[in-house]
Amino acid sequence: MTCQSVVIVGSGIAGIYSALLAKTKYPNAHISLVEKSEQLGGLLSSTKIEGHWFDYGTHVPRYTGDSDIDALLFSSINLSDYWQFQNINAANVGPFNTLYTDSPNPFLGSKTNTQLAQQLLELTQENNDTRYHEQNFDSLKSQLDATYGPNLTKNFFAPLMNKRFGACLSEMATDSHKIIGLQRLILGDGELMRKLKGSPRLDEILAFASQEEGLSPFKNIYPKGDKGIRVWIDSLVANLEKCGVNIYTQTGISEVNMTGDRVIKSVVLSSGQRIDCNLLVWTAPLIMLIRSAKLTYMPSTRPIFRTSSLYHFVFPDPPKISSNYVNVHDPAFSSFRVTLYSNLAKTTTDEHRVTVEVMHDIEAPAPSRESICQELYDMGIMPVTSRPSLTHVLAASSGFPVLTPAFKKEMGEQEKLVETKIANVVTLGKASGTAFFMADVLKEAKCKLNQYFERNFDDHNEDNIDKSRQAVSNLSS
Ligand SMILES: Cc1cc2nc3c(=O)[nH]c(=O)nc-3n(C[C@H](O)[C@H](O)[C@H](O)COP(=O)(O)OP(=O)(O)OC[C@H]3O[C@@H](n4cnc5c(N)ncnc54)[C@H](O)[C@@H]3O)c2cc1C
């Protein structure tokens, strides 16, 4: 079979990358990108509020280190329009309201941590090596107990995970702490951390005291000016248009037409338009595909997401710190992450934009804007005398999954159903439940799509790969 028509649903970074990859590999194919919102980009988007641009929280693209992915996403942008930096320059507020500007990783080495000696003792116990490598943990609690010791589990992880996800550790799936940046801790100064990280086991779970040490070789980029991450998405959208991808916004898939042998032949948009399809790439929640394809399915649980509310502020004064963003690891605060645009974009106006992300129960009212502004003062991020001239609260459409074993099982069952009932679909992106962070989402997308192309399309040959390289370099010209 030759690749004639690919329909991609969802235009976050997974969908945009998939469209660029499909079009460059199969320049003659009809590639369609379908997005339910008004604009493309998904979480990598910016909104204009009363003349000020705000992102969906911190989203700083970093080169993935995979030359094919990086070529598609970065080679055509004009790098002089972007700041480029290896050091992300982020801070964190650790437990006991300790503002630590040397790293975004949780800092627990402060004098106010009276449990520190016990925590260090438990972390370094010899028998941890064996327990840690068993890896058969039945919950996050047993994983953290074996990995970090009972004291850190009880006094650091439990209250924080409860605040962010509204669940206790024994209800959460293994590794769920990683999606809110709790994988690596800092328990002391540079010398201590270097010494501890000498152990391969501790190296995986502890961070250097300073983000200047152990820097990733891959650059981060962020647009200059005040339009935020939208600048990058706009340039990718221009590339999609330039290479002939058909873009449909404010619409979804209302019908998936299949033959008896499980093959999708066409899809119908909510507008009624039919599009031929010999591969469907699905990056939106799988349950929507299950419904559109009219597959019989009874979910075993309802996946729960924490709402992410975005509190956008404009202050007349600059932040008190020079960090680009701040991770908040103190459960006393509702704030989860603070983005400081005047540092990140190095803008030189008298107006300083700040976004605070807050994770909360979908049913519960969001904290008041006054209380979140007060947190910025209390954490020492904004000067107490600075009163915001703009405050705006927005519920982000996509929240953080509460990763319980039941959630993971449900996502696995949905994926299995789709794979067994539909022959020509590839499921990708954060919504598929197998990757979360941008770089992981992209690497998974590349791998799954290339596997599909190689197995199913006769025109996947070296000639095409050469054409694809040519197409990528054409985009930059
Ligand atoms: C609040 C939050 C903050 C995050 N911060 C970071 C971070 O700082 N760094 C990082 O690496 N990762 C972060 N992540 C992880 C993030 O998931 C990935 O970085 C990446 O952006 C995911 O891309 P995606 O394309 O899979 O999903 P999304 O960006 O969510 O895109 C999915 C798209 O599908 C569309 N869609 C949904 N349903 C339909 C439908 N029925 N029909 C058509 N379109 C549909 C949506 O409108 C959206 O545009 C964060 C995640 C969340 C939830």
Side-chain angles (χ1 to χ4, degrees), residues 12-14 35-36 42-43 58-59 288 337 400 430 436 438:
I13 198 62
E35 167 58 48
K36 72 168 184 189
L43 282 159
T58 313
H59 273 99
M288 293 175 184
R337 189 164 56 175
F400 276 84
K430 166 176 69 64
F436 184 76
M438 206 188 310

Side-chain angles (χ1 to χ4, degrees), residues 180-327:
I180 55 165
L182 299 184
Q183 180 167 11
R184 286 195 158 92
L185 314 181
I186 304 171
L187 289 139
D189 63 13
E191 201 184 326
L192 177 71
M193 295 318 293
R194 253 173 257 128
K195 193 169 151 213
L196 291 173
K197 279 173 74 64
S199 137
R201 176 178 68 83
L202 294 179
D203 185 42
E204 281 179 41
I205 58 170
L206 298 179
F208 287 114
S210 163
Q211 57 205 329
E212 304 244 6
E213 265 180 272
L215 279 182
S216 157
F218 309 120
K219 269 183 309 193
N220 303 284
I221 61 161
Y222 193 78
K224 294 177 182 172
D226 63 1
K227 206 177 168 189
I229 201 58
R230 178 83 174 263
V231 172
W232 184 47
I233 294 299
D234 283 351
S235 70
L236 293 177
V237 174
N239 286 349
L240 291 169
E241 285 166 349
K242 200 164 159 187
C243 62
V245 171
N246 305 291
I247 297 173
Y248 303 89
T249 53
Q250 293 179 281
T251 188
I253 304 289
S254 61
E255 225 179 290
V256 172
N257 297 312
M258 285 198 277
T259 58
D261 55 354
R262 308 183 297 126
V263 177
I264 300 174
K265 291 289 179 196
S266 65
V267 296
V268 179
L269 302 184
S270 324
S271 59
Q273 184 174 346
R274 180 182 298 270
I275 310 176
D276 288 342
C277 171
N278 59 4
L279 167 63
L280 178 64
V281 178
W282 194 272
T283 76
L286 282 181
I287 195 71
M288 293 175 184
L289 170 58
I290 292 171
R291 285 186 198 134
S292 309
K294 300 192 175 58
L295 303 179
T296 312
Y297 182 65
M298 182 63 77
S300 54
T301 188
R302 189 173 63 87
I304 298 174
F305 289 83
R306 293 290 270 184
T307 295
S308 173
S309 285
L310 304 167
Y311 291 69
H312 300 309
F313 298 96
V314 175
F315 287 92
D317 306 288
K320 288 172 75 179
I321 55 175
S322 62
S323 312
N324 293 330
Y325 71 91
V326 185
N327 285 341

Side-chain angles (χ1 to χ4, degrees), residues 366-436:
S368 72
R369 49 192 81 190
E370 292 76 18
S371 69
I372 297 301
C373 184
Q374 187 61 43
E375 289 193 1
L376 289 172
Y377 303 139
D378 293 345
M379 290 187 283
I381 295 173
M382 295 307 296
V384 282
T385 49
S386 193
R387 296 282 169 256
S389 58
L390 179 148
T391 310
H392 187 96
V393 187
L394 198 75
S397 61
S398 189
F400 276 84
V402 181
L403 295 172
T404 58
F407 179 105
K408 286 197 165 178
K409 183 164 167 267
E410 172 62 25
M411 297 311 284
E413 278 167 7
Q414 289 184 12
E415 184 147 21
K416 203 160 124 209
L417 177 83
V418 166
E419 274 169 9
T420 47
K421 299 285 181 189
I422 309 177
N424 53 342
V425 66
V426 174
T427 59
L428 299 174
K430 166 176 69 64
S432 76
T434 43
F436 184 76

